[in-house]
Amino acid sequence: MELSLSMYSMHRTVKAQGWSTVDFLQFCHSENYGLVELLAHFWKDVRTELEAVVSAAKSLGIGVTSYAVSNNFVSEDPSLRKQALLKITDGIPIAAELGTKVIRVFSGNLAEGIRYEEAKSWIIDGLKEACREAEGAGMTLCLENHGKLAGKGVQVKELIDEVGSPALGSTFDTGNFLLVDEQPLQAFADLKRYIGHVHFKDFKEQPNGRYKSIGMRTYEGVPAGEGDAGLPQILDLLEESGYKGAYVLEYEGTGSEADGIRQSYIRFQEMVRNITSRI
């Protein structure tokens, strides 16, 4: 069991200091983090940056466990839905260059004036088409629980079942379930056999938290294992289920991102030791 670091965990630093993806990789190397998740969001110009990123990862001995794109199929405009599809399909050769076969995808979120069933049909159609491309390339698309349309475990399960492709699985984001007022352990029961990728993230309910759930609870990001997501139990269940994919840390707390990440790594290692001591 190893923890991979999502570049999103450093998003405030990336923005404030103007980091490139190579800068992020150099930070990871200096901190002895050997696995990463990269995001399409952070490219300035992928055509000119990709070769340097692939080269840097190789020379620094850093593996790319997953590549994340941010698509939204929920639009009445067919051209915008086409753009959402291209975000995924254009990401397939990029992921291949980076050396990963796992691509995190979204569904999209419900917008005012759009009916739920209509939005769901657009998501299913878009994911079906994206999966046809992914199947041919030997890639796995993993749908993250994110927002109101695919926020709960049963919603993600329903979408995966209706798309019906072996190239579509679940990105099990442990923290995001709290934002739709669902316990992550319940979501695990619904998604156990679909999980192909894990975002290891923790939130804690706090009066002034920046993240509001649909039930108006307020949460703040905290180091992994210090919040309400039940990460030790989830890690235990994932190992029992035979999960072999990446555990990708997404730290979304306040203060120093680097310190929050370091604390998360320490906590993760404690969780792993507790599991291995029982084997």
Side-chain angles (χ1 to χ4, degrees):
M1 287 174 276
E2 289 187 81
L3 205 57
S4 173
L5 180 62
S6 173
M7 189 170 173
Y8 192 75
S9 297
M10 293 292 289
H11 71 276
R12 288 186 284 111
T13 302
V14 169
K15 182 177 180 180
Q17 299 187 17
W19 277 11
S20 67
T21 301
V22 170
D23 292 326
F24 169 69
L25 292 175
Q26 290 170 339
F27 163 79
C28 292
H29 180 67
S30 70
E31 296 281 336
N32 297 313
Y33 304 146
L35 298 171
V36 298
E37 174 178 87
L38 299 181
L39 287 80
H41 173 78
F42 292 112
W43 295 120
K44 296 179 177 69
D45 183 347
V46 65
R47 293 169 298 179
T48 59
E49 293 176 78
L50 183 57
E51 184 177 352
V53 168
V54 171
S55 177
K58 183 177 180 180
S59 66
L60 296 171
I62 294 174
V64 179
T65 59
S66 43
Y67 181 61
V69 301
S70 299
N71 56 287
N72 181 2
F73 286 118
V74 183
S75 173
E76 293 178 323
D77 186 340
S79 68
L80 293 180
R81 298 200 298 273
K82 180 65 174 178
Q83 288 178 30
L85 174 63
L86 288 173
K87 285 190 175 184
I88 300 175
T89 56
D90 286 353
I92 290 174
I94 295 171
E97 283 289 315
L98 293 169
T100 181
K101 292 184 176 297
V102 176
I103 301 175
R104 190 287 313 273
V105 300
F106 286 148
S107 59
N109 214 346
L110 200 58
E112 189 173 346
I114 295 177
R115 293 180 295 107
Y116 173 80
E117 288 301 324
E118 189 172 34
K120 183 179 167 186
S121 71
W122 294 331
I123 293 165
I124 291 167
D125 288 346
L127 288 175
K128 280 183 176 179
E129 193 164 347
C131 283
R132 283 192 285 271
E133 295 281 342
E135 286 177 30
M139 291 283 174
T140 299
L141 308 181
C142 290
L143 176 62
E144 183 173 336
N145 49 296
H146 187 274
K148 295 178 180 178
L149 287 169
K152 295 191 175 184
V154 291
Q155 292 176 313
V156 175
K157 178 182 181 297
E158 186 176 77
L159 288 170
I160 294 173
D161 283 341
E162 294 206 30
V163 171
S165 168
L168 184 62
S170 156
T171 287
F172 191 86
D173 188 299
T174 55
N176 283 357
F177 292 112
L178 295 171
L179 302 184
V180 291
D181 301 306
E182 179 172 44
Q183 288 302 309
L185 288 173
Q186 175 56 52
F188 178 84
D190 293 326
L191 289 169
K192 176 180 175 179
R193 66 186 183 90
Y194 299 84
I195 299 171
H197 180 230
V198 172
H199 274 172
F200 209 66
K201 179 165 72 186
D202 218 344
F203 287 132
K204 188 172 184 61
E205 188 169 2
Q206 296 179 359
N208 297 315
R210 294 173 298 154
Y211 301 94
K212 285 187 178 180
S213 77
I214 56 176
M216 301 307 290
R217 290 185 172 91
T218 54
Y219 290 89
E220 188 52 72
V222 293
E226 296 184 9
D228 301 330
L231 294 186
Q233 299 98 313
I234 289 172
L235 184 61
D236 212 354
L237 289 169
L238 283 163
E239 288 302 303
E240 283 181 10
S241 73
Y243 175 72
K244 301 299 182 186
Y247 294 94
V248 180
L249 175 66
E250 269 197 331
Y251 174 71
E252 295 188 15
T254 57
S256 166
E257 290 171 313
D259 285 346
I261 290 165
R262 293 179 190 122
Q263 292 169 44
S264 296
Y265 268 78
I266 291 169
R267 293 284 189 176
F268 180 77
Q269 290 162 353
E270 291 171 354
M271 295 178 215
V272 171
R273 283 196 295 269
N274 288 338
I275 290 174
T276 54
S277 67
R278 298 195 299 270
I279 298 174

